[in-house]
Amino acid sequence: MKKIEKITPQSEDFAKWYTDVIKNGDLMAYGATKGSIIFKPLSFGIWDNIRLHLDKEFKKVGVQNVYLPLLIPESLLTKEKEHLEGFNPELATVTEVGGKKLAEKYFIRPTSETLFGDFFKNEINSYNDLPLIYNQWVNVLRWEKTTNPFLRTREFLWQEGHTMHSCPKEAQKLTTKMLNIYKKFVSDYLAIPVIDGQKTEHEKFSGADFTFTIEAMMKDGKALQAGTSHYLGQNFTIPFDISFKNKENKLENAYGTSWGVSTRLLGALIMTHGDDRGIIIPPKIAPIQIDIIEMLASKEPKVHELALNIKSVLEKANFNVQIDNSDKGAGFKAANSEIHGT
């Protein structure tokens, strides 16, 4: 039987509490590559629900999902110098295949502005083709020096939206609209209050004219960036020659945005709601909302029959339910359910 280890109190050591909670809560395991993690069913279930609910909100404003390649040719990434300089320390590079050196370096995507820039170039001819509002749910890789599960890992999951517009006003409006979608979603579904605002010039996204953010306050008194939305202006459309014929039949460079949230939201959820007895998952986003614990499962078949009937009634009422009919002790089952945040 797996033993539930003692959780360090938040008041004693918040960082140690965080590690104890995610370990006992079966949220993750460390990957074979340093700085990477394995998402266990519970944490991936939370992320899957975030993806499903947020994707519905995106579609209400016309977002379409796409998927672009993992590798970025060096010739593309170097087209926007500020962008390259911002990510250069974190870039992972592919230089050979099958023992043979490649003619050009390829970078594993830290983000996809340059790939979208190259793609958009061939998709747009006229103002009638705009706006293009695309999003992809993918993994990215940034070779972080210091890592912490969910909060900052070298490989993480996220959604990244990329759009093209015929005028700056429309693009800027979309930038704030996406930020407001994030703010409402994080508040309504994750039950995390956030403060929205604009990043400083020093903190803004590399290659953006300006960056908006939602910041969540954690129980240790520190703010956590929970989502960002960037107005890119023509910073990518000029070097990538993304242009269109405007209503005056003149060539004009398009105006871009990008925006995203990541699996960092899981860390925010844990640090906002968790207590000294484990994680607490808001019902709207929980993979399992109700645990039914059988006390005499191995001795009395009628107990299991009753549990199944209760489960059926609850599922018809749209609850996500599971039954624990193992031979483990009642106290263990109750503690296990609580530490998993059910």
Side-chain angles (χ1 to χ4, degrees), residues 288-321:
I288 300 297
Q289 295 168 313
I290 299 172
D291 277 332
I292 298 174
I293 299 173
E294 295 187 16
M295 311 298 270
L296 301 167
S298 62
K299 298 179 181 179
E300 181 55 70
K302 288 184 178 180
V303 172
H304 186 57
E305 184 181 335
L306 180 58
L308 289 172
N309 288 337
I310 296 171
K311 183 174 185 286
S312 176
V313 170
L314 290 170
E315 286 178 337
K316 287 177 182 177
N318 295 318
F319 288 104
N320 299 322
V321 187

Side-chain angles (χ1 to χ4, degrees), residues 70-72 77 90-94 106-111 139-143:
L70 175 71
L71 297 178
I72 306 174
L77 203 60
E90 302 171 353
L91 290 175
T93 313
V94 178
Y106 289 85
F107 300 107
I108 299 174
R109 63 172 167 236
T111 180
N139 64 330
V140 291
L141 188 71
R142 300 177 184 177
W143 212 257

